Amino acid sequence: MSWIAALGRAALGLLAAMGRVAMFFGTSVTHLLRPPFYPRELALALLNIGWLSLPVVGLTAIFTGGALALQIYAGGARFNAEAVVPQIVAIGMVRELGPVLVGLMIAARVTSSIAAEIATMKVTEQIDALVTLSTHPMKYLTVPRVLAATLVVPLLVAVGDVIGIFGGYAVATGTLGFNAAAYIQNTVDFLQMRDITSSLVKGAVFGCIAALMGCYFGMNSGRGAQGVGRATKGSVEAAAVLILAANFVLTGVFFSV
Amino acid sequence: MITLDNIHKSFGDNHVLRGVDLHVARGTSMVIIGGSGTGKSIAIKTILGLVTPEKGTITVDGQDVSQTGDRDAFLARFGMLFQGAALFDSLPVWQNVAFRLLRGSLARPKEEAHEIAIEKLRRVGLTPDVADRLPAELSGGMQKRVGLARAIAAEPEIIFFDEPTTGLDPIMAGVINDLIREIVTEMGATTMTITHDMTSVRTIADNVAMLHGGKIRWTGPVADIDGATDPYVDQFIHGRAEGPIETVR
């Protein structure tokens, strides 16, 4: 019966961790609503998370869109459905691949960076120094990052969607013989407002998760270089899993019939 | 001014503080000595609320620190120099020094805060050209001085120094000790310093307290420390390997 006890302990541990993360998020929200505010920190976070993530998001999206066009063309050819490439690329990028891949790239790039930075600040007593200088670490470090990611990741997703569709367009018109005007017309005609809304909402939720996990693991890191390493690794793992879980839930909310 | 009464703090099975009683009078310099891991930093952090004690009370000017309503105003009375300086990597030196003056209840216009930062950097022997550099571009000694400038920037009533000379060469350690003594005398601040360095003790202290076994083992004026009959104090100040303090911890 020891395996039942182990399973129980693991389940309780998971629930306790979820509770701690939920409390951390709740505390962040209460600090978001009460002054003082740190607009400079917010601007820096917007720049770091948004602007500086554009290259990696753009490259990820264009290659994914191109590969998707090739796959749909090859797969569609088995039942004479090659013509659906524009529609499937559009729906695939906007509904799923755009938000999920951008979310995962943000988890890799931003969550790890936030966790490592805050964990290092904790190890080197910079967090304690903030407190002694009458500055609440949640307000100064967590709120600007979580808010910035929630605001800017939807924009990154929108950019990723457009670049991904362009990747499919470039492959389809360049190598698969599609007519350029017809491709664009098919894409525009097929997409619905619900597709775009779901994409942006997913972006906001994934951005919030990515920054929140970075801050949570950073603030709760252990001592020394090993503590920083564990916090960074844990934050990316947790962010990636939560993003995929949230994607499943949001897809169900938006598209279940 | 600062009174610790029967302070207890544990981390798991490690009972770090087991009833610390200490009084620091206004305008005096108290130095806490003791071996590594005896809880000296924890004792100071309990006063600032960075660590919450399990038992006991801490009062500053008779007010229980756990009952302070306006935390910002309470912390504005304190300055602290951390062991590793704890400068914010992402901010230039002058913004580190003026951090408190750029935000919160002590906020000033940016130009004024910059001027004060330059003046405080001069006070600790650093030239204005350091002001726009990042902390990572400075040597350890310079970082300590910047940390010292930050601790005194808002002219606090109470200043804590956590191992101010650890990791510095003897000359730089001497410079920092002299600076601390001068600043304390000039500002009339109440200070608590943690150190293992007996040269620092003799330069900085008005009074000395030795923390061992989670309690204050001995306390008295610095002039009395050489005549102290307590064997723990005697072993510590003479740096002897043999004595009642276990050398393997």
Side-chain angles (χ1 to χ4, degrees):
Chain A
M1 286 299 175
S2 63
W3 66 272
I4 294 178
L7 193 65
R9 271 195 300 274
L12 286 174
L14 182 65
L15 286 173
M18 286 167 66
R20 284 193 295 271
V21 171
M23 282 177 67
F24 188 83
F25 178 65
T27 310
S28 304
V29 171
T30 64
H31 282 290
L32 172 67
L33 302 173
R34 286 181 288 136
F37 305 111
Y38 297 103
R40 182 182 172 277
E41 300 309 311
L42 179 62
L44 278 174
L46 286 169
L47 179 75
N48 280 330
I49 299 169
W51 182 251
L52 298 180
S53 296
L54 274 174
V56 73
V57 165
L59 287 169
T60 305
I62 200 161
F63 289 129
T64 304
L68 192 58
L70 289 171
Q71 286 283 17
I72 295 161
Y73 188 81
R78 293 179 191 170
F79 45 93
N80 298 320
E82 300 95 322
V84 296
V85 168
Q87 291 89 336
I88 304 296
V89 166
I91 206 167
M93 282 307 301
V94 173
R95 283 190 179 191
E96 283 298 319
L97 290 172
V100 169
L101 287 177
V102 169
L104 292 177
M105 291 313 291
I106 292 296
R109 187 185 172 274
V110 174
T111 307
S112 59
S113 158
I114 291 174
E117 183 183 2
I118 294 179
T120 304
M121 288 183 75
K122 189 177 178 198
V123 168
T124 56
E125 293 187 302
Q126 291 178 53
I127 304 280
D128 284 348
L130 275 178
V131 175
T132 65
L133 292 164
S134 308
T135 303
H136 201 296
M138 287 293 280
K139 277 190 191 302
Y140 187 75
L141 297 173
T142 302
V143 169
R145 285 163 173 80
V146 173
L147 180 60
T150 307
L151 293 175
V152 85
V153 174
L155 299 178
L156 286 173
V157 167
V159 170
D161 290 347
V162 171
I163 293 175
I165 289 170
F166 174 76
Y169 165 87
V171 168
T173 57
T175 64
L176 305 177
F178 279 74
N179 175 274
Y183 190 101
I184 293 170
Q185 193 59 49
N186 280 333
T187 300
V188 172
D189 288 347
F190 195 71
L191 278 179
Q192 296 175 353
M193 186 50 74
R194 188 171 60 160
D195 302 327
I196 297 165
T197 307
S198 77
S199 195
L200 299 181
V201 169
K202 282 181 177 182
V205 173
F206 299 168
C208 180
I209 288 171
L212 193 73
M213 288 301 103
C215 294
Y216 175 78
F217 278 86
M219 290 283 192
N220 292 287
S221 77
R223 291 180 179 181
Q226 198 175 38
V228 175
R230 279 188 183 150
T232 308
K233 183 183 69 176
S235 70
V236 175
E237 287 171 350
V241 170
L242 284 175
I243 283 170
L244 293 171
N247 180 59
F248 173 70
V249 173
L250 288 171
T251 301
V253 169
F254 277 98
F255 301 108
S256 60
V257 180
Chain B
M1 181 171 200
I2 303 172
T3 304
L4 284 78
D5 182 18
N6 194 30
I7 297 300
H8 289 254
K9 180 66 192 175
S10 305
F11 294 95
D13 295 334
N14 183 15
H15 302 290
V16 182
L17 304 180
R18 298 165 183 254
V20 170
D21 297 303
L22 186 67
H23 178 73
V24 185
R26 179 181 293 279
T28 62
S29 173
M30 168 65 81
V31 173
I32 304 175
I33 58 173
S36 299
T38 51
K40 303 184 297 297
S41 295
I42 299 299
I44 276 190
K45 287 181 177 179
T46 58
I47 300 169
L48 289 164
L50 295 171
V51 172
T52 308
E54 283 127 17
K55 196 174 159 191
T57 54
I58 300 165
T59 56
V60 175
D61 283 340
Q63 188 192 7
D64 189 335
V65 299
S66 64
Q67 311 284 322
T68 51
D70 187 349
R71 191 99 188 113
D72 189 5
F74 172 73
L75 288 168
R77 300 176 66 186
F78 293 86
M80 179 152 180
L81 170 61
F82 286 85
Q83 187 177 342
L87 302 178
F88 304 123
D89 305 320
S90 57
L91 300 179
V93 162
W94 83 266
Q95 286 190 28
N96 266 280
V97 175
F99 192 91
R100 198 195 279 276
L101 305 174
L102 291 167
R103 43 185 74 74
S105 62
L106 301 176
R108 318 268 176 95
K110 198 173 177 183
E111 295 72 26
E112 190 185 335
H114 185 265
E115 271 178 36
I116 293 171
I118 298 292
E119 180 207 323
K120 297 300 177 190
L121 285 170
R122 276 209 188 93
R123 182 67 199 82
V124 298
L126 293 172
T127 51
D129 65 288
V130 170
D132 292 321
R133 290 201 220 162
L134 289 170
E137 298 171 312
L138 306 180
S139 68
M142 289 167 90
Q143 288 186 15
K144 274 268 159 83
R145 291 195 204 201
V146 174
L148 187 53
R150 184 173 70 183
I152 63 171
E155 307 204 339
E157 296 168 57
I158 303 160
I159 312 176
F160 295 148
F161 303 101
D162 188 357
E163 305 203 13
T165 57
T166 298
L168 301 181
D169 66 71
I171 295 169
M172 184 53 67
V175 170
I176 296 285
N177 285 335
D178 290 343
L179 272 172
I180 290 174
R181 185 71 248 182
E182 283 169 28
I183 287 163
V184 167
T185 308
E186 262 173 34
M187 292 173 56
T190 305
T191 65
M192 288 178 77
T193 305
I194 292 166
T195 187
H196 304 108
D197 177 1
M198 288 311 296
T199 309
S200 295
V201 175
R202 294 178 207 286
T203 310
I204 297 170
D206 294 320
N207 298 299
V208 181
M210 179 169 178
L211 187 61
H212 182 78
K215 291 187 173 191
I216 297 295
R217 176 89 205 172
W218 181 89
T219 185
V222 67
D224 294 353
I225 197 166
D226 289 317
T229 53
D230 187 288
Y232 290 81
V233 176
D234 184 61
Q235 184 187 355
F236 189 87
I237 66 172
H238 293 104
R240 293 194 189 105
E242 284 162 18
I245 302 173
E246 291 173 36
T247 49
V248 178
R249 280 188 283 266

